[in-house]
Amino acid sequence: MTTVHETLARGETEVGAVGTATALLDAYRPGAHRFFASPARTLLAYGEHCQVPHDERPLTDRVRDTLAGARAAGEPAPVVIGAIPFDGSAPEALVVPSVLHRAPALRTDPLVAFPAPRPEPIAWTVRPVPAPESYGAAVAAAVDRIASGEFDKVVLARALDLTAGQAPDIPAMLQRLARRDIHGYTFAVPTPAGGTLLGASPELLVSRRGGALVANPLAGSTPRSDDLAEDVRRAAALLESVKDLHEHAVVVNAMRAVLAPYCSELQVPERPSLVKTATMWHLSTTLKGTLADPSVSALELACAVHPTPAVCGAPTAHARRVIDELEPFDRGLYTGIVGWGDAEGDGEWVVTIRCAEATEQGLRLYAGAGVVASSDPAAETAETGAKFRTFLDAVGAEL
């Protein structure tokens, strides 16, 4: 009887077999591998058939030409996989892999119910960038500028640098991230600087399958509670929060305005629902559309809406300038896009949040919060702290 691991060694995928999706997760190794798991599928890519070049052409043109070149070179069904930075002028990390293994979603694999091993005790040194007090002051400054009518919303982020005198165990972190939230989007891809971007995002930017598109913006959040009654109270309060409903509406209206011209039909619910992760409740709206032109790719749609007000602000250009003024670091791949797309235009592209960039020296974690006129600096600082929990739990560190 052929085992799943023997199937992987032959360069095949035994789709539908028990253990196939978790075998891809188990097989991941940083460096040459790229891993992506969604509620629809699990992907593990090996090697590089070719890279998407970084030049003056639009990204969608470069990806289309790269996929066409790979098909002409003998790849029957080429796929591009990787990450795109927040700053559209910065280099991407996109490749057509030499080998791509596909499996059903992790959530359908019974073996994913087995928990990942707990993190080994490590004396992490945690350095906030900036200090929480400085972050709160930046939020307060942004609130004052919003109140003056300068702009409507900005998303401000902060980072944590974790060091421990040893290289992070990236496969173990990925296991814990993936098994903790099997309904989200888990990823691990090499960065242009030689590190690894890994995380577990709850937010689908856009997917396309044939002529159907789906987008699922999240905006407006509150931390979960270990107490069930309090957790339910927080969820109910989020659904009625004037501040969070306004923040969410800004994002949904912006995405509707961008996506509607691409669609012959676009369905947008009148009110948001709730999505939960292990650490957060989020307001969520699922937009579903039928493309007027089925040749428009998932990546083209993703690039059209990126960056949304959920990770940048509104108006977009002004919010980006405020981010440059108030954030003391380059976001890099954080709040960019991660995912995959094929030569037919199908694909899944996810907002790069709840993530970290890992190097031999340590980890940089990121978290952000949407700032509007009614934002409270202490509450936004606490929200980013709660969002850090996704990754801090995966490495066994405390804030």
Side-chain angles (χ1 to χ4, degrees), residues 117-124 164 166-167 169 172 176 392-397:
R118 294 183 60 81
E120 295 183 7
I122 297 175
W124 291 101
Q166 64 188 74
D169 188 344
R176 287 188 283 272
L392 291 171
D393 290 347
V395 302

Side-chain angles (χ1 to χ4, degrees), residues 63-381:
V63 169
R64 183 194 63 234
D65 293 347
T66 301
L67 289 168
R71 176 170 279 173
E75 288 288 328
V79 168
V80 66
I81 186 169
I84 300 165
F86 174 69
D87 180 355
S89 66
E92 304 85 11
L94 295 171
V95 305
V96 176
S98 301
V99 177
L100 180 65
H101 296 298
R102 307 168 190 259
L106 280 170
R107 62 184 175 84
T108 68
D109 188 335
L111 299 187
V112 80
F114 290 99
R118 294 183 60 81
E120 295 183 7
I122 297 175
W124 291 101
T125 298
V126 180
R127 182 177 72 90
V129 184
E133 298 79 10
S134 298
Y135 178 78
V139 171
V143 168
D144 289 342
R145 292 168 67 174
I146 293 169
S148 73
E150 182 181 337
F151 56 94
D152 298 324
K153 175 186 176 180
V154 67
V155 178
L156 293 180
R158 63 188 183 107
L160 297 178
D161 287 341
L162 275 60
T163 54
Q166 64 188 74
D169 188 344
I170 295 173
M173 293 178 196
L174 185 66
Q175 287 276 350
R176 287 188 283 272
L177 290 168
R179 292 175 184 271
R180 188 180 188 190
D181 189 3
I182 58 175
H183 298 285
Y185 301 84
T186 308
F187 51 88
V189 299
T191 69
T196 300
L197 171 75
L198 71 159
S201 174
E203 186 168 2
L204 172 68
L205 184 62
V206 68
S207 69
R208 198 211 83 166
R209 182 176 181 183
L213 75 84
V214 177
N216 184 206
L218 307 180
S221 307
T222 194
R224 301 284 307 275
S225 173
D226 292 333
D227 178 80
L228 178 59
E230 173 62 15
D231 196 43
V232 171
R233 188 199 68 77
R234 292 183 184 183
L238 182 61
L239 280 172
E240 301 299 326
S241 166
V242 174
K243 178 262 183 185
D244 290 289
L245 288 169
H246 168 68
E247 181 184 342
H248 188 79
V250 169
V251 179
V252 173
N253 290 338
M255 293 194 70
R256 184 200 332 245
V258 174
L259 292 174
Y262 290 96
C263 298
S264 58
E265 179 185 9
L266 182 64
Q267 300 173 6
V268 184
E270 291 185 5
R271 287 185 58 85
S273 57
L274 289 173
V275 164
K276 64 180 179 180
T277 68
T279 59
M280 301 293 297
W281 286 104
H282 298 281
L283 292 178
S284 163
T285 295
T286 300
L287 293 78
K288 296 182 179 181
T290 301
L291 291 173
D293 179 1
S295 69
V296 175
S297 71
L299 181 60
E300 184 174 344
L301 296 166
C303 290
V305 296
H306 173 72
T308 74
V311 297
C312 182
T316 302
H318 198 106
R320 293 185 83 144
R321 290 194 293 272
V322 175
I323 288 169
D324 289 340
E325 294 172 22
L326 297 181
E327 289 183 1
F329 52 80
D330 182 346
R331 289 191 178 186
L333 296 171
Y334 169 64
T335 61
I337 311 171
V338 62
W340 66 275
D342 64 21
E344 281 66 49
D346 287 348
E348 296 174 295
W349 297 99
V350 175
V351 182
T352 312
I353 53 176
R354 307 297 188 278
C355 65
E357 293 194 40
T359 66
E360 290 292 320
Q361 290 71 44
L363 297 161
R364 168 161 280 195
L365 283 55
Y366 298 94
V371 181
V372 294
S374 57
S375 289
D376 173 67
E380 305 300 357
T381 304

